[in-house]
Coordinates of all heavy atoms in Angstrom, one line a residue:
M1 N 114.6 97.4 99.2 CA 114.0 97.2 100.6 C 112.6 97.9 100.6 O 111.7 97.4 101.3 CB 114.9 97.8 101.6 CG 114.5 97.7 103.0 SD 114.5 95.9 103.5 CE 114.5 96.0 105.2
G2 N 112.4 98.9 99.9 CA 111.1 99.6 99.9 C 110.0 98.8 99.4 O 108.9 98.8 100.0
Y3 N 110.2 98.0 98.4 CA 109.2 97.1 97.9 C 108.9 95.9 98.9 O 107.8 95.5 98.9 CB 109.5 96.6 96.5 CG 109.3 97.7 95.4 CD1 110.4 98.3 94.9 CD2 108.0 98.0 95.0 CE1 110.2 99.3 93.9 CE2 107.8 99.0 94.1 CZ 109.0 99.6 93.5 OH 108.8 100.6 92.6
L4 N 109.9 95.5 99.6 CA 109.7 94.5 100.6 C 108.8 95.0 101.7 O 107.8 94.4 102.2 CB 111.0 94.0 101.1 CG 111.0 92.8 102.1 CD1 110.3 91.6 101.5 CD2 112.4 92.5 102.6
L5 N 109.1 96.2 102.2 CA 108.3 96.9 103.2 C 106.8 97.1 102.7 O 105.9 96.9 103.4 CB 108.9 98.2 103.6 CG 110.2 98.1 104.4 CD1 110.8 99.5 104.6 CD2 109.9 97.5 105.8
L6 N 106.7 97.5 101.4 CA 105.4 97.7 100.9 C 104.6 96.4 100.8 O 103.4 96.4 101.1 CB 105.6 98.3 99.5 CG 104.3 98.7 98.7 CD1 103.4 99.7 99.6 CD2 104.6 99.3 97.4
S7 N 105.3 95.3 100.5 CA 104.6 94.0 100.4 C 104.1 93.7 101.8 O 102.9 93.2 102.0 CB 105.6 92.9 100.0 OG 105.9 93.2 98.6
G8 N 104.8 93.9 102.9 CA 104.4 93.7 104.2 C 103.2 94.6 104.6 O 102.3 94.1 105.2
A9 N 103.3 95.8 104.1 CA 102.2 96.8 104.4 C 100.9 96.3 103.7 O 99.8 96.4 104.3 CB 102.5 98.2 103.9
I10 N 101.0 95.8 102.5 CA 99.8 95.3 101.8 C 99.3 94.0 102.5 O 98.1 93.9 102.7 CB 100.2 95.0 100.3 CG1 100.5 96.3 99.6 CG2 99.0 94.2 99.6 CD1 101.2 96.0 98.2
A11 N 100.1 93.1 102.9 CA 99.7 91.9 103.6 C 99.0 92.2 104.9 O 97.9 91.7 105.2 CB 100.9 91.0 103.8
A12 N 99.5 93.2 105.6 CA 98.9 93.6 106.9 C 97.6 94.2 106.7 O 96.6 94.0 107.4 CB 99.9 94.5 107.7
E13 N 97.5 95.0 105.7 CA 96.2 95.7 105.4 C 95.1 94.7 104.9 O 94.0 94.8 105.3 CB 96.4 96.8 104.3 CG 95.2 97.6 104.0 CD 94.3 97.1 102.9 OE1 94.8 96.4 102.0 OE2 93.1 97.4 103.0
V14 N 95.5 93.8 104.1 CA 94.6 92.7 103.6 C 94.1 91.9 104.8 O 93.0 91.5 105.0 CB 95.2 91.9 102.5 CG1 94.4 90.6 102.3 CG2 95.4 92.7 101.3
A15 N 95.1 91.5 105.7 CA 94.7 90.7 106.9 C 93.8 91.5 107.8 O 92.8 91.0 108.3 CB 96.0 90.3 107.7
A16 N 94.0 92.8 108.0 CA 93.2 93.6 108.8 C 91.8 93.8 108.2 O 90.8 93.7 109.0 CB 93.8 95.0 109.0
T17 N 91.7 94.0 106.9 CA 90.4 94.1 106.3 C 89.6 92.8 106.4 O 88.4 92.8 106.6 CB 90.5 94.6 104.8 OG1 91.3 95.8 104.8 CG2 89.2 94.8 104.2
T18 N 90.3 91.7 106.2 CA 89.6 90.4 106.3 C 89.1 90.1 107.7 O 88.0 89.7 107.9 CB 90.6 89.3 105.8 OG1 91.0 89.6 104.5 CG2 89.9 87.9 105.8
A19 N 90.0 90.5 108.7 CA 89.6 90.3 110.1 C 88.4 91.2 110.4 O 87.5 90.8 111.2 CB 90.8 90.7 111.0
M20 N 88.3 92.4 109.8 CA 87.2 93.3 110.0 C 85.9 92.6 109.6 O 84.9 92.8 110.2 CB 87.4 94.6 109.3 CG 86.3 95.6 109.6 SD 86.4 97.2 108.7 CE 88.1 97.7 108.8
K21 N 85.9 91.9 108.5 CA 84.7 91.2 108.0 C 84.3 90.2 109.0 O 83.1 90.0 109.3 CB 85.0 90.6 106.6 CG 83.9 89.7 106.1 CD 82.7 90.5 105.6 CE 81.7 89.7 104.9 NZ 80.5 90.4 104.7
Y22 N 85.3 89.5 109.6 CA 85.0 88.5 110.6 C 84.6 89.1 112.0 O 84.1 88.4 112.8 CB 86.2 87.5 110.8 CG 86.3 86.5 109.7 CD1 87.4 86.6 108.8 CD2 85.4 85.5 109.5 CE1 87.6 85.7 107.8 CE2 85.5 84.6 108.5 CZ 86.6 84.7 107.6 OH 86.8 83.8 106.6
S23 N 84.8 90.4 112.2 CA 84.6 91.0 113.5 C 83.1 91.3 113.8 O 82.8 91.7 114.9 CB 85.4 92.3 113.6 OG 84.8 93.3 112.9
D24 N 82.3 91.1 112.8 CA 80.9 91.4 112.9 C 80.6 92.8 113.4 O 80.1 93.0 114.5 CB 80.2 90.3 113.9 CG 78.7 90.4 113.8 OD1 78.1 90.7 112.8 OD2 78.1 90.0 114.8
G25 N 81.1 93.8 112.7 CA 80.9 95.2 113.1 C 81.8 95.6 114.2 O 81.4 96.4 115.0
L26 N 82.9 94.9 114.4 CA 83.9 95.2 115.5 C 83.3 94.7 116.8 O 83.8 95.2 117.9 CB 84.4 96.6 115.5 CG 85.2 97.1 114.3 CD1 85.6 98.5 114.5 CD2 86.4 96.2 114.0
S27 N 82.3 93.9 116.8 CA 81.7 93.4 118.1 C 82.3 92.1 118.6 O 82.1 91.8 119.8 CB 80.2 93.1 117.9 OG 80.0 92.1 116.9
R28 N 83.2 91.5 117.8 CA 83.9 90.3 118.3 C 85.3 90.7 118.6 O 86.1 91.2 117.7 CB 83.9 89.2 117.2 CG 82.4 88.7 116.9 CD 82.3 87.6 115.9 NE 83.1 86.5 116.3 CZ 83.8 85.7 115.4 NH1 83.7 86.0 114.1 NH2 84.5 84.7 115.8
P29 N 85.8 90.6 119.9 CA 87.0 91.1 120.3 C 88.3 90.6 119.6 O 89.1 91.4 119.2 CB 87.1 90.8 121.8 CG 85.7 90.4 122.2 CD 85.0 90.0 121.0
G30 N 88.3 89.3 119.3 CA 89.5 88.8 118.6 C 89.7 89.4 117.2 O 90.8 90.0 117.0
P31 N 88.8 89.2 116.3 CA 88.9 89.8 115.0 C 89.0 91.4 115.1 O 89.8 91.9 114.3 CB 87.7 89.4 114.3 CG 87.2 88.2 115.0 CD 87.6 88.4 116.4
A32 N 88.4 92.0 116.0 CA 88.5 93.5 116.1 C 89.9 93.9 116.5 O 90.4 94.8 115.9 CB 87.5 94.0 117.2
L33 N 90.5 93.1 117.4 CA 91.9 93.4 117.8 C 92.8 93.2 116.6 O 93.7 94.0 116.3 CB 92.3 92.5 119.0 CG 93.8 92.7 119.5 CD1 94.0 94.2 119.9 CD2 94.1 91.7 120.6
L34 N 92.6 92.1 115.8 CA 93.4 91.8 114.6 C 93.3 92.9 113.6 O 94.2 93.3 112.9 CB 93.0 90.5 114.0 CG 93.5 89.2 114.8 CD1 92.9 88.0 114.1 CD2 95.0 89.1 114.8
T35 N 92.1 93.5 113.5 CA 91.9 94.6 112.6 C 92.7 95.8 113.0 O 93.4 96.4 112.2 CB 90.4 95.0 112.6 OG1 89.6 93.9 112.1 CG2 90.1 96.2 111.7
A36 N 92.6 96.2 114.3 CA 93.4 97.3 114.7 C 94.9 97.1 114.6 O 95.6 98.0 114.1 CB 93.0 97.6 116.2
V37 N 95.4 96.0 115.0 CA 96.8 95.7 114.9 C 97.3 95.6 113.5 O 98.3 96.2 113.1 CB 97.2 94.4 115.7 CG1 98.6 94.0 115.4 CG2 97.0 94.6 117.2
G38 N 96.5 95.0 112.6 CA 96.8 94.9 111.2 C 96.9 96.3 110.5 O 97.9 96.5 109.8
Y39 N 96.0 97.2 110.8 CA 96.1 98.5 110.2 C 97.2 99.3 110.8 O 97.9 100.0 110.0 CB 94.8 99.3 110.4 CG 93.7 98.8 109.4 CD1 92.5 98.4 109.8 CD2 93.9 98.9 108.0 CE1 91.5 98.0 108.9 CE2 93.0 98.5 107.1 CZ 91.7 98.1 107.6 OH 90.8 97.7 106.7
L40 N 97.5 99.1 112.1 CA 98.7 99.8 112.6 C 100.0 99.4 112.0 O 100.8 100.2 111.6 CB 98.7 99.6 114.1 CG 99.9 100.2 114.9 CD1 99.9 101.7 114.8 CD2 100.0 99.8 116.3
V41 N 100.1 98.1 111.9 CA 101.3 97.5 111.2 C 101.4 98.0 109.8 O 102.5 98.4 109.3 CB 101.3 96.0 111.3 CG1 102.4 95.4 110.4 CG2 101.5 95.5 112.7
S42 N 100.3 98.0 109.1 CA 100.3 98.4 107.7 C 100.7 99.8 107.5 O 101.5 100.1 106.7 CB 98.9 98.2 107.1 OG 98.8 98.6 105.7
F43 N 100.2 100.7 108.4 CA 100.5 102.1 108.2 C 102.0 102.4 108.6 O 102.7 103.2 108.0 CB 99.6 103.0 109.1 CG 98.2 103.2 108.4 CD1 97.1 102.9 109.2 CD2 98.1 103.5 107.1 CE1 95.8 103.0 108.6 CE2 96.8 103.7 106.5 CZ 95.7 103.4 107.3
V44 N 102.5 101.7 109.6 CA 103.9 101.8 110.0 C 104.8 101.4 108.8 O 105.7 102.1 108.5 CB 104.2 101.0 111.3 CG1 105.7 100.9 111.5 CG2 103.5 101.7 112.5
L45 N 104.5 100.2 108.2 CA 105.3 99.8 107.1 C 105.2 100.7 105.9 O 106.1 100.9 105.2 CB 104.9 98.3 106.8 CG 105.3 97.3 107.8 CD1 104.7 95.9 107.4 CD2 106.8 97.2 108.0
L46 N 104.0 101.2 105.7 CA 103.8 102.1 104.5 C 104.6 103.4 104.8 O 105.2 103.9 103.8 CB 102.3 102.4 104.3 CG 101.9 103.3 103.2 CD1 102.4 102.7 101.8 CD2 100.4 103.6 103.1
A47 N 104.6 103.9 106.0 CA 105.4 105.1 106.3 C 106.8 104.8 106.1 O 107.5 105.7 105.5 CB 105.1 105.5 107.7
R48 N 107.3 103.7 106.5 CA 108.7 103.3 106.2 C 109.0 103.2 104.8 O 110.1 103.6 104.3 CB 109.1 102.0 107.0 CG 108.9 102.1 108.5 CD 110.1 102.1 109.4 NE 111.3 101.7 108.9 CZ 111.9 100.6 109.1 NH1 111.4 99.7 109.9 NH2 113.1 100.4 108.7
T49 N 108.1 102.7 104.0 CA 108.2 102.5 102.6 C 108.5 103.9 101.9 O 109.2 104.0 101.0 CB 107.0 101.9 102.0 OG1 106.8 100.6 102.5 CG2 107.0 101.8 100.4
L50 N 107.8 104.9 102.4 CA 107.8 106.3 101.8 C 109.2 106.9 102.0 O 109.5 107.9 101.3 CB 106.8 107.2 102.4 CG 105.3 106.7 102.1 CD1 104.3 107.6 102.7 CD2 105.1 106.6 100.6
K51 N 110.1 106.3 102.7 CA 111.5 106.8 102.8 C 112.2 106.5 101.5 O 113.2 107.2 101.2 CB 112.2 106.2 104.0 CG 111.7 106.6 105.3 CD 112.5 106.0 106.4 CE 112.2 106.5 107.8 NZ 113.0 106.0 108.9
S52 N 111.8 105.5 100.8 CA 112.5 105.1 99.6 C 111.7 105.1 98.3 O 112.3 105.0 97.2 CB 113.2 103.7 99.8 OG 112.2 102.7 100.0
L53 N 110.4 105.1 98.4 CA 109.6 105.2 97.2 C 108.7 106.4 97.2 O 108.4 107.0 98.3 CB 108.6 104.0 97.2 CG 109.2 102.6 97.1 CD1 108.1 101.5 97.1 CD2 110.0 102.4 95.8
S54 N 108.4 106.9 96.0 CA 107.5 108.1 95.9 C 106.1 107.8 96.5 O 105.7 106.6 96.4 CB 107.4 108.6 94.5 OG 106.6 107.7 93.7
I55 N 105.5 108.8 97.0 CA 104.2 108.6 97.6 C 103.1 108.1 96.6 O 102.3 107.3 96.9 CB 103.7 109.9 98.4 CG1 102.5 109.6 99.2 CG2 103.5 111.0 97.4 CD1 102.2 110.7 100.2
G56 N 103.2 108.7 95.4 CA 102.2 108.3 94.4 C 102.3 106.8 94.0 O 101.4 106.1 93.9
T57 N 103.6 106.4 93.8 CA 103.8 105.0 93.4 C 103.4 104.1 94.6 O 102.7 103.1 94.4 CB 105.3 104.8 93.0 OG1 105.6 105.6 91.9 CG2 105.6 103.3 92.7
A58 N 103.9 104.4 95.8 CA 103.7 103.5 96.9 C 102.2 103.4 97.2 O 101.7 102.3 97.4 CB 104.5 104.0 98.2
Y59 N 101.5 104.5 97.2 CA 100.1 104.5 97.6 C 99.3 103.8 96.5 O 98.3 103.0 96.8 CB 99.6 105.9 97.9 CG 98.2 105.8 98.5 CD1 98.0 105.5 99.8 CD2 97.1 106.1 97.7 CE1 96.7 105.4 100.4 CE2 95.8 106.0 98.2 CZ 95.6 105.7 99.6 OH 94.4 105.6 100.1
A60 N 99.6 104.0 95.3 CA 98.9 103.3 94.2 C 99.1 101.8 94.3 O 98.1 101.1 94.1 CB 99.4 103.8 92.8
I61 N 100.3 101.4 94.5 CA 100.5 99.9 94.7 C 99.8 99.4 95.9 O 99.1 98.4 95.8 CB 102.0 99.6 94.7 CG1 102.6 99.9 93.3 CG2 102.2 98.1 95.0 CD1 104.1 99.9 93.3
W62 N 99.9 100.1 97.0 CA 99.3 99.7 98.3 C 97.8 99.5 98.2 O 97.2 98.5 98.5 CB 99.7 100.6 99.4 CG 99.2 100.3 100.8 CD1 99.7 99.4 101.6 CD2 98.1 101.0 101.4 NE1 98.9 99.4 102.8 CE2 97.9 100.4 102.7 CE3 97.2 102.0 101.1 CZ2 97.0 100.8 103.6 CZ3 96.3 102.4 102.0 CH2 96.1 101.8 103.2
S63 N 97.2 100.6 97.7 CA 95.7 100.6 97.6 C 95.2 99.7 96.5 O 94.3 98.9 96.6 CB 95.2 102.0 97.4 OG 95.7 102.6 96.2
G64 N 95.9 99.7 95.3 CA 95.5 98.9 94.2 C 95.6 97.4 94.4 O 94.6 96.6 94.2
V65 N 96.8 97.0 94.9 CA 97.0 95.5 95.2 C 96.1 95.1 96.3 O 95.5 94.0 96.3 CB 98.5 95.2 95.4 CG1 98.6 93.8 95.9 CG2 99.3 95.5 94.2
G66 N 96.0 95.9 97.3 CA 95.1 95.6 98.5 C 93.6 95.5 98.0 O 93.0 94.5 98.4
T67 N 93.2 96.4 97.2 CA 91.8 96.3 96.7 C 91.5 95.1 95.9 O 90.5 94.4 96.1 CB 91.4 97.6 95.9 OG1 91.6 98.7 96.8 CG2 90.0 97.5 95.4
A68 N 92.4 94.8 95.0 CA 92.3 93.6 94.1 C 92.3 92.3 94.9 O 91.5 91.4 94.7 CB 93.4 93.6 93.0
T69 N 93.2 92.3 95.9 CA 93.3 91.1 96.8 C 92.1 90.9 97.6 O 91.6 89.8 97.7 CB 94.6 91.2 97.7 OG1 95.7 91.4 96.8 CG2 94.7 89.9 98.5
I70 N 91.6 92.0 98.2 CA 90.3 91.9 99.0 C 89.2 91.4 98.1 O 88.3 90.7 98.5 CB 90.1 93.2 99.7 CG1 91.0 93.4 100.9 CG2 88.6 93.3 100.2 CD1 90.9 92.3 101.9
A71 N 89.1 91.9 96.9 CA 88.0 91.5 96.0 C 88.1 90.0 95.7 O 87.1 89.3 95.7 CB 88.1 92.3 94.7
V72 N 89.3 89.5 95.5 CA 89.4 88.0 95.3 C 89.1 87.3 96.5 O 88.4 86.2 96.5 CB 90.9 87.7 94.8 CG1 91.1 86.2 94.8 CG2 91.1 88.3 93.4
L73 N 89.5 87.7 97.7 CA 89.2 87.1 98.9 C 87.7 87.1 99.2 O 87.1 86.1 99.7 CB 90.0 87.7 100.1 CG 91.5 87.4 100.1 CD1 92.1 88.1 101.3 CD2 91.7 85.9 100.3
G74 N 87.1 88.2 98.8 CA 85.6 88.3 99.0 C 84.9 87.2 98.2 O 83.9 86.6 98.6
L75 N 85.4 87.0 97.0 CA 84.9 85.9 96.1 C 85.2 84.5 96.7 O 84.3 83.7 96.8 CB 85.6 86.0 94.7 CG 85.2 85.0 93.7 CD1 83.8 85.1 93.2 CD2 86.2 85.1 92.5
L76 N 86.4 84.3 97.2 CA 86.8 83.0 97.6 C 86.3 82.6 99.0 O 85.8 81.5 99.3 CB 88.3 82.8 97.6 CG 89.0 82.9 96.2 CD1 90.5 82.9 96.4 CD2 88.5 81.8 95.3
L77 N 86.3 83.6 100.0 CA 86.0 83.3 101.4 C 84.5 83.6 101.7 O 84.0 83.0 102.6 CB 86.9 84.1 102.3 CG 88.4 83.9 102.2 CD1 89.1 84.8 103.2 CD2 88.7 82.4 102.6
F78 N 84.0 84.6 101.0 CA 82.7 85.1 101.5 C 81.6 84.9 100.4 O 80.5 85.4 100.6 CB 82.7 86.5 101.9 CG 83.8 86.8 103.0 CD1 84.9 87.5 102.7 CD2 83.6 86.2 104.2 CE1 85.9 87.7 103.6 CE2 84.6 86.4 105.2 CZ 85.7 87.2 104.9
G79 N 81.9 84.2 99.3 CA 80.9 84.0 98.3 C 80.4 85.2 97.6 O 79.3 85.2 97.0
E80 N 81.1 86.3 97.6 CA 80.7 87.5 96.9 C 80.7 87.2 95.4 O 81.6 86.5 94.9 CB 81.5 88.7 97.3 CG 81.4 89.0 98.7 CD 82.3 90.1 99.2 OE1 83.1 90.7 98.4 OE2 82.2 90.5 100.4
G81 N 79.8 87.8 94.7 CA 79.7 87.6 93.2 C 80.8 88.3 92.5 O 81.4 89.3 92.9
L82 N 80.9 87.8 91.2 CA 81.9 88.4 90.3 C 81.2 88.6 89.0 O 80.6 87.6 88.5 CB 83.1 87.5 90.2 CG 84.3 88.1 89.3 CD1 84.9 89.3 90.0 CD2 85.3 87.0 89.1
N83 N 81.2 89.8 88.5 CA 80.5 90.1 87.2 C 81.4 90.9 86.4 O 82.5 91.3 86.8 CB 79.1 90.7 87.5 CG 79.3 92.0 88.2 OD1 80.2 92.8 88.1 ND2 78.3 92.3 89.1
A84 N 80.9 91.2 85.2 CA 81.8 92.0 84.2 C 82.2 93.4 84.8 O 83.3 93.8 84.5 CB 81.0 92.1 82.9
T85 N 81.3 94.0 85.5 CA 81.6 95.3 86.1 C 82.7 95.2 87.1 O 83.6 96.1 87.0 CB 80.3 95.9 86.7 OG1 79.3 96.0 85.8 CG2 80.6 97.3 87.3
K86 N 82.7 94.3 88.0 CA 83.7 94.1 88.9 C 85.1 93.7 88.3 O 86.1 94.3 88.7 CB 83.4 93.0 90.0 CG 82.4 93.5 91.0 CD 82.2 92.4 92.1 CE 81.2 92.9 93.1 NZ 81.0 91.9 94.2
I87 N 85.0 92.9 87.3 CA 86.2 92.5 86.6 C 86.8 93.7 85.9 O 88.0 94.0 85.9 CB 85.9 91.4 85.5 CG1 85.6 90.1 86.3 CG2 87.1 91.2 84.6 CD1 85.1 89.0 85.4
T88 N 86.0 94.5 85.3 CA 86.4 95.8 84.6 C 87.1 96.7 85.6 O 88.2 97.3 85.4 CB 85.3 96.5 83.9 OG1 84.7 95.6 82.9 CG2 85.7 97.8 83.2
G89 N 86.4 96.9 86.8 CA 87.0 97.7 87.8 C 88.4 97.2 88.3 O 89.3 98.0 88.4
L90 N 88.5 95.9 88.5 CA 89.8 95.4 88.9 C 90.9 95.6 87.9 O 92.0 95.9 88.2 CB 89.6 93.9 89.3 CG 88.9 93.6 90.6 CD1 88.6 92.1 90.7 CD2 89.6 94.1 91.8
L91 N 90.5 95.4 86.6 CA 91.5 95.6 85.5 C 91.9 97.0 85.4 O 93.1 97.3 85.2 CB 90.9 95.1 84.2 CG 90.7 93.6 84.1 CD1 90.0 93.2 82.8 CD2 92.1 92.9 84.2
L92 N 91.0 98.0 85.7 CA 91.3 99.4 85.7 C 92.2 99.8 86.8 O 93.2 100.5 86.6 CB 90.0 100.2 85.7 CG 89.2 100.3 84.4 CD1 87.8 100.9 84.7 CD2 90.0 101.0 83.3
I93 N 92.0 99.2 88.0 CA 92.9 99.4 89.1 C 94.3 98.9 88.8 O 95.3 99.6 89.0 CB 92.3 98.7 90.4 CG1 91.1 99.4 90.9 CG2 93.4 98.7 91.5 CD1 90.3 98.7 91.9
I94 N 94.4 97.7 88.3 CA 95.7 97.1 88.0 C 96.4 97.9 86.9 O 97.5 98.2 87.0 CB 95.5 95.6 87.6 CG1 95.1 94.8 88.8 CG2 96.8 95.1 87.0 CD1 94.6 93.4 88.5
G95 N 95.6 98.3 85.9 CA 96.1 99.1 84.8 C 96.6 100.5 85.3 O 97.7 100.9 84.9
G96 N 95.9 101.1 86.2 CA 96.4 102.4 86.8 C 97.7 102.2 87.5 O 98.5 103.1 87.4
V97 N 97.8 101.2 88.3 CA 99.1 101.0 89.0 C 100.2 100.8 88.1 O 101.3 101.3 88.2 CB 98.9 99.8 90.0 CG1 100.3 99.4 90.6 CG2 97.9 100.1 91.1
V98 N 100.0 100.0 87.0 CA 101.0 99.8 86.0 C 101.4 101.1 85.3 O 102.6 101.4 85.2 CB 100.6 98.7 85.0 CG1 101.5 98.6 83.8 CG2 100.4 97.3 85.6
V99 N 100.4 101.9 84.9 CA 100.7 103.1 84.2 C 101.5 104.1 85.2 O 102.5 104.7 84.7 CB 99.4 103.8 83.7 CG1 99.6 105.2 83.3 CG2 98.8 103.0 82.6
L100 N 101.1 104.2 86.4 CA 101.9 105.0 87.4 C 103.3 104.6 87.5 O 104.2 105.4 87.5 CB 101.2 105.0 88.7 CG 100.0 105.9 88.9 CD1 99.3 105.7 90.2 CD2 100.5 107.4 88.8
N101 N 103.5 103.2 87.5 CA 104.9 102.7 87.6 C 105.7 103.0 86.3 O 106.9 103.2 86.4 CB 104.9 101.3 88.0 CG 104.6 101.1 89.5 OD1 105.4 101.6 90.3 ND2 103.6 100.3 89.8
L102 N 105.0 102.9 85.2 CA 105.7 103.1 83.9 C 106.0 104.6 83.7 O 106.9 104.9 83.0 CB 104.9 102.6 82.8 CG 104.7 101.1 82.6 CD1 103.7 100.8 81.5 CD2 106.0 100.4 82.4
G103 N 105.3 105.4 84.5 CA 105.6 106.9 84.4 C 106.9 107.3 85.0 O 107.2 108.5 84.9
G104 N 107.6 106.4 85.6 CA 108.9 106.7 86.1 C 108.9 107.4 87.4 O 109.9 108.1 87.8
A105 N 107.8 107.3 88.2 CA 107.8 107.9 89.5 C 108.9 107.2 90.4 O 109.0 106.0 90.4 CB 106.5 107.7 90.2
H106 N 109.6 108.1 91.1 CA 110.7 107.5 92.0 C 110.4 107.7 93.4 O 110.1 108.7 94.0 CB 112.0 108.2 91.7 CG 112.5 108.0 90.2 ND1 112.8 106.8 89.7 CD2 112.6 108.9 89.2 CE1 113.1 106.9 88.5 NE2 113.0 108.2 88.1

């Protein structure tokens, strides 16, 4: 159940961050509201996740998967560039999440 809640927390955080981009500096009410609600939902789900997963593991997955997903969405939705440095950074994030999980954190 913890990983299901964590997946929801990641999805809500990614939606909130994407809405923030569309909010034009939080000046557009609709996307600004989606940003606030998305982060609230994300933090509530992350807090519930911490009842069954270790904080290091949960936060590493939440932040790592969220960061990688936002980077891909930036490329697909907003035409942001992709270069060797960004690819290396994303691979390091993913590798860090994998290593933390292999470390046996409960």
Side-chain angles (χ1 to χ4, degrees):
M1 185 63 160
Y3 285 104
L4 183 61
L5 290 170
L6 184 57
S7 296
I10 293 166
E13 187 270 333
V14 167
T17 303
T18 304
M20 188 186 309
K21 176 70 173 172
Y22 285 112
S23 76
D24 194 29
L26 298 179
S27 65
R28 297 180 58 215
L33 180 61
L34 287 174
T35 298
V37 170
Y39 281 124
L40 177 64
V41 169
S42 180
F43 286 129
V44 167
L45 292 175
L46 182 60
R48 301 251 343 255
T49 298
L50 296 179
K51 290 182 176 184
S52 59
L53 296 177
S54 72
I55 191 169
T57 298
Y59 190 76
I61 294 170
W62 180 79
S63 62
V65 172
T67 300
T69 303
I70 287 297
V72 171
L73 288 175
L75 176 70
L76 297 175
L77 298 178
F78 305 112
E80 295 177 358
L82 186 65
N83 57 34
T85 303
K86 284 186 178 181
I87 292 170
T88 301
L90 289 171
L91 291 174
L92 287 169
I93 290 168
I94 293 166
V97 169
V98 170
V99 168
L100 280 171
N101 281 304
L102 291 176
H106 300 294

